Amino acid sequence: TKVIVKTALRDLKTLQKERPDFKITINLQLDLLTDKKFRTWLIKEVGNSGVTPDTFGVEITEDSAFTDIENFSETFEELKNAHIEIFMDDFSMGHTAISLLRKNYFNYIKIDGHLIRDLENERSQRIVASIIELGKGLNFKVIAEYVETEKQRNLLAELGCKIYQGYLYYKDMPIEQLKGLLKDGK
C-alpha cells in the first residue's frame, strides 16, 4: 500500500507540471485509514510530496466496515485538515450510506456503476436523480461511475450530474500516454 501511495504521489506531481489542478485518488481500506500510525505516515507523505493541496484523494467503498460511525470523526478530520480529499465509492450499494452522510466526512460521493449501467430503467433514473439532489443538498460533489456512452452522459447531465468517470472518456493507460494527453491540452 505504501508503494502505491508513493507512486501515486510521484505521478501526480509529474502530471501537475502540465495541469496543476490534476487529481488522483486511490482506493484504501478503512482499517488502514483508522490506523493512527498509517494515517500519520500518509499525511506526512502527502504533505512532503509537493502536490497541489486537495488534489490527492482516498476512496473508501461504502460497504467498508463502518460499524461505529461516530468513531471515524478523528480519522476524517485529520485527512481533511491535511487537504486529502475523501470519496465514498460505490454509493447506494451498501447498508450505511444515509447514516454516513449525516456527518460531513466526504468531499465526493461516487454513484455506483450498477445504477449507471441500468440508467435506461426509469426507477434507476429516479434513484440516481435522488442521489444527485441529496449530494447537492449536503454539499457533496457527485461523480457518476461507469459512464460508457454519450446517451448515459447526456441523461446524467439532464439529471444534474456534472462529473463523470468511465470509458466514454478514456480507458486505463500508462502514465506516459496520460502525460501526452495533458500536453496536448486534453
Side-chain angles (χ1 to χ4, degrees):
T1 302
K2 288 183 175 182
V3 170
I4 291 169
V5 169
K6 286 181 178 197
T7 302
L9 288 168
R10 181 197 67 220
D11 291 349
L12 178 57
K13 186 169 181 169
T14 298
L15 295 168
Q16 287 182 342
K17 289 176 184 171
E18 297 300 325
R19 195 162 132 202
D21 64 339
F22 195 86
K23 295 183 180 208
I24 286 182
T25 64
I26 61 170
N27 290 70
L28 288 178
Q29 294 294 321
L30 183 60
D31 61 336
L32 269 176
L33 291 174
T34 57
D35 178 284
K36 181 73 172 168
K37 186 176 178 181
F38 177 82
R39 190 169 65 249
T40 300
W41 175 86
L42 176 66
I43 289 168
K44 183 178 176 185
E45 286 295 312
V46 172
N48 292 337
S49 68
V51 301
T52 305
D54 300 312
T55 59
F56 178 80
V58 294
E59 296 186 26
I60 304 161
T61 57
E62 181 194 339
D63 63 356
S64 292
F66 284 103
T67 53
D68 187 0
I69 294 167
E70 301 302 320
N71 287 330
F72 297 112
S73 293
E74 178 184 340
T75 297
F76 292 121
E77 282 302 313
E78 284 184 24
L79 294 171
K80 281 187 165 190
N81 289 338
H83 299 281
I84 297 172
E85 293 194 309
I86 306 168
F87 293 66
M88 180 190 288
D89 198 12
D90 302 329
F91 183 76
S92 76
M93 302 314 276
H95 308 291
T96 57
I98 300 301
S99 295
L100 287 171
L101 295 182
R102 288 182 303 136
K103 299 286 187 177
N104 191 20
Y105 291 151
F106 301 94
N107 301 91
Y108 293 82
I109 53 176
K110 294 175 71 175
I111 302 172
D112 186 81
H114 289 91
L115 286 172
I116 304 306
R117 287 182 176 146
D118 193 35
L119 204 52
E120 292 188 28
N121 174 307
E122 185 178 330
R123 292 183 71 82
S124 291
Q125 286 179 31
R126 288 184 180 172
I127 293 168
V128 168
S130 296
I131 293 169
I132 293 166
E133 286 304 310
L134 179 65
K136 285 180 181 178
L138 296 175
N139 296 316
F140 296 110
K141 295 176 184 141
V142 179
I143 300 172
E145 295 184 305
Y146 294 97
V147 178
E148 297 177 350
T149 68
E150 288 186 24
K151 185 175 183 179
Q152 288 171 321
R153 185 205 48 222
N154 294 342
L155 187 51
L156 286 161
E158 288 176 27
L159 297 174
C161 185
K162 306 288 184 229
I163 308 171
Y164 319 104
Q165 174 184 337
Y167 287 164
L168 176 61
Y169 300 97
Y170 294 101
K171 295 188 178 192
D172 301 342
M173 66 182 71
I175 188 163
E176 291 305 318
Q177 186 179 351
L178 181 54
K179 283 192 323 191
L181 287 172
L182 293 177
K183 282 182 182 181
D184 292 341
K186 295 185 180 182

